[in-house]
């Protein structure tokens, strides 16, 4: 093989790589659009007002109120429940921290953090739209005795992340409720 043919082969490969870099993303975009893929947009709700109980609730309820307030009227403490089309009862919000693994000397190596929300959705008159349900998020976190403060910060960040995930899941469930079809 001559030096000239070797250079020609390298040029062909470079051209094919450049072509692949252009065609690859275009083909992926075409395939995704053909399968019906689209980014999740803002939720559309079939109700215009909601009461979230208990009021004021905790951090998860506050984040949910903020997320809903952009599109739906969220009743405040002084307003009567009869003004709401729906009532979301937050039955419990539980944080758990479970040991997952320990070393041979009994020291903790890893924890599992869990955030559990139990809720139900009803009308102000008591008709149940969503029976008592649960949303669970969990994350694993390693533990290091020499970095306790850093691990506490990481744990708090993971709980905030799980809380945001739970709120998003709950918003999707609320958007799926067809309140108009109910008596």
């Amino acid at each position: 093989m001559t030096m000239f043919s070797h250079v020609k082969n390298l040029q062909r490969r470079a051209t094919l790589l450049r072509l692949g870099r252009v065609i690859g993303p275009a083909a992926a975009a075409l395939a995704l659009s053909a399968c019906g893929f689209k980014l999740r947009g803002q939720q559309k709700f079939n109700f215009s007002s909601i009461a979230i109980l208990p009021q004021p609730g905790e951090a998860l309820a506050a984040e949910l109120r903020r997320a809903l307030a952009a599109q739906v009227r969220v009743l405040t403490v002084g307003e009567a429940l009869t003004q709401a089309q729906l009532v979301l009862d937050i039955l419990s919000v539980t944080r758990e921290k479970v040991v997952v693994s320990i070393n041979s000397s009994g020291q903790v190596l890893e924890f599992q953090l869990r955030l559990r929300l139990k809720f139900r959705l009803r009308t102000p008159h008591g008709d149940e739209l969503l029976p008592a349900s649960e949303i669970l998020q969990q994350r694993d976190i390693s533990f290091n005795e020499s970095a306790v403060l850093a691990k506490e910060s990481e744990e708090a960040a993971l709980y905030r992340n799980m809380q945001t995930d739970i709120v998003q899941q709950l918003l999707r469930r609320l958007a799926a409720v067809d309140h108009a079809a109910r008596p």
Side-chain angles (χ1 to χ4, degrees):
M1 182 187 255
T2 68
M3 180 69 148
F4 180 72
S5 63
H6 184 64
V7 170
K8 278 291 195 188
N9 283 337
L10 287 176
Q11 287 175 340
R12 279 190 209 121
R13 286 183 190 161
T15 303
L16 288 174
L17 280 174
R18 274 187 252 125
L19 189 60
R21 287 183 189 147
V22 171
I23 292 177
L30 181 64
L32 285 175
S33 65
C35 75
F37 173 83
K38 74 175 193 176
L39 292 174
R40 196 178 305 151
Q42 198 172 21
Q43 304 293 336
K44 292 189 179 19
F45 300 105
N46 295 321
F47 54 92
S48 59
S49 63
I50 189 169
I52 301 173
L53 301 177
Q55 290 186 350
E58 59 177 68
L60 192 137
E63 185 174 340
L64 180 61
R65 280 186 183 85
R66 280 191 301 272
L68 282 168
Q71 298 179 55
V72 175
R73 183 170 160 250
V74 180
L75 271 65
T76 59
V77 175
E79 296 178 281
L81 280 183
T82 54
Q83 294 178 354
Q85 287 182 310
L86 300 178
V87 177
L88 177 68
D89 293 312
I90 296 180
L91 305 174
S92 68
V93 178
T94 311
R95 287 182 173 205
E96 301 170 357
K97 186 176 181 180
V98 180
V99 175
V100 175
S101 65
I102 56 175
N103 64 14
S104 60
S105 60
Q107 295 174 324
V108 175
L109 294 175
E110 190 174 18
F111 286 107
Q112 185 174 74
L113 306 176
R114 296 180 189 147
L115 186 59
R116 187 182 311 264
L117 168 70
K118 292 184 182 175
F119 68 96
R120 75 173 177 194
L121 186 67
R122 62 183 174 89
T123 64
H125 307 294
D127 298 328
E128 206 168 68
L129 300 174
L130 285 177
S133 303
E134 178 178 279
I135 299 175
L136 171 68
Q137 284 286 312
Q138 57 190 30
R139 305 282 191 278
D140 292 339
I141 181 173
S142 63
F143 182 74
N144 185 350
E145 261 183 38
S146 63
V148 173
L149 290 177
K151 288 299 176 178
E152 285 178 3
S153 296
E154 183 181 0
E155 181 178 326
L158 285 172
Y159 273 124
R160 282 191 304 273
N161 181 271
M162 288 188 287
Q163 176 179 300
T164 300
D165 286 351
I166 285 177
V167 166
Q168 292 303 312
Q169 284 185 39
L170 187 53
L171 289 174
R172 287 191 293 275
R173 289 187 190 190
L174 290 174
V177 171
D178 188 13
H179 174 60
R182 300 284 179 162

